[in-house]
Amino acid sequence: IVSIVIMGYYIGVIKNTLEGLDTLPDWSNLGEILRDGALYIGALFILLLVVYLPAILLLSIVGLLFDWATTTLLLLLYVSVSLIALMIYVPLAMVNFAKKGFFGFFEVVDILKKISLEYLGILLLYFVIGCIITMVLGILGVITLIPIIGEMVYYVLGGILSFIYGIMLYRAVAKYYLERD
């Protein structure tokens, strides 16, 4: 439920950005946030099924034809390539979802047309920022040695930083999307 609320809020951030607003969405419309978040999680689940179910079936067949090491290598290769593809596709698809609704998430051709080196640069920048946040949280992980209070501080701080990071990422992708529209 927390993920649904967070993703719904991110969609609200995207909608505000697409409307040219420089303000964060209001929490008063919790029904819309929950609806958008649930629909988005559903769309993402469908996408993951489409991407990974054929791979699982194909690898089951490949597993019968090849040895364990070859099958594992092929699985790792497929998962790595598809994960990178999803990391590139999903942020733009989420913006398209916010703009056009549920089925906008699956407008693959239109979404792929918006991908450029500039977009990949934005994703790379936010990947580096995410790594820095993770390192800072790793260093601060020492405070988890303090019973209860240290863990609470660590998890609350991590949650807040992750939430702010998501707002920044989706706002940047929405601004990029506006430039390409």
Side-chain angles (χ1 to χ4, degrees):
I1 291 178
V2 173
S3 294
I4 290 172
V5 172
I6 290 171
M7 299 316 290
Y9 191 80
Y10 289 158
I11 291 167
V13 168
I14 293 168
K15 286 179 179 179
N16 279 4
T17 303
L18 293 175
E19 292 173 10
L21 301 174
D22 286 331
T23 59
L24 292 174
D26 189 2
W27 284 99
S28 64
N29 199 353
L30 192 58
E32 182 179 344
I33 290 171
L34 287 170
R35 185 196 72 226
D36 286 346
L39 286 172
Y40 172 75
I41 297 284
L44 187 59
F45 180 74
I46 291 168
L47 177 66
L48 293 175
L49 275 178
V50 168
V51 169
Y52 289 113
L53 191 58
I56 292 168
L57 296 174
L58 183 62
L59 286 171
S60 299
I61 295 167
V62 170
L64 296 173
L65 301 174
F66 296 103
D67 60 35
W68 180 83
T70 304
T71 304
T72 303
L73 183 63
L74 288 172
L75 178 64
L76 286 173
L77 180 64
Y78 182 84
V79 168
S80 298
V81 170
S82 62
L83 189 60
I84 291 168
L86 287 170
M87 288 172 58
I88 293 169
Y89 177 83
V90 169
L92 277 176
M94 187 173 184
V95 175
N96 213 46
F97 172 96
K99 181 177 183 184
K100 299 179 180 180
F102 182 82
F103 293 105
F105 189 83
F106 302 103
E107 293 180 354
V108 177
V109 174
D110 291 339
I111 293 166
L112 292 178
K113 286 180 183 176
K114 290 184 176 14
I115 296 173
S116 69
L117 285 176
E118 180 184 354
Y119 174 68
L120 295 176
I122 291 168
L123 291 182
L124 182 61
L125 173 68
Y126 278 91
F127 177 77
V128 170
I129 292 170
C131 288
I132 292 169
I133 290 171
T134 302
M135 286 189 302
V136 168
L137 287 173
I139 293 167
L140 290 176
V142 173
I143 66 173
T144 61
L145 298 175
I146 304 168
I148 301 172
I149 295 172
E151 290 178 5
M152 286 178 21
V153 169
Y154 175 76
Y155 290 117
V156 168
L157 183 60
I160 291 169
L161 288 175
S162 296
F163 184 69
I164 293 169
Y165 168 81
I167 289 171
M168 291 169 39
L169 169 65
Y170 291 115
R171 186 154 161 71
V173 173
K175 284 186 171 209
Y176 168 82
Y177 182 98
L178 275 175
E179 292 173 5
R180 294 288 176 172
D181 216 15

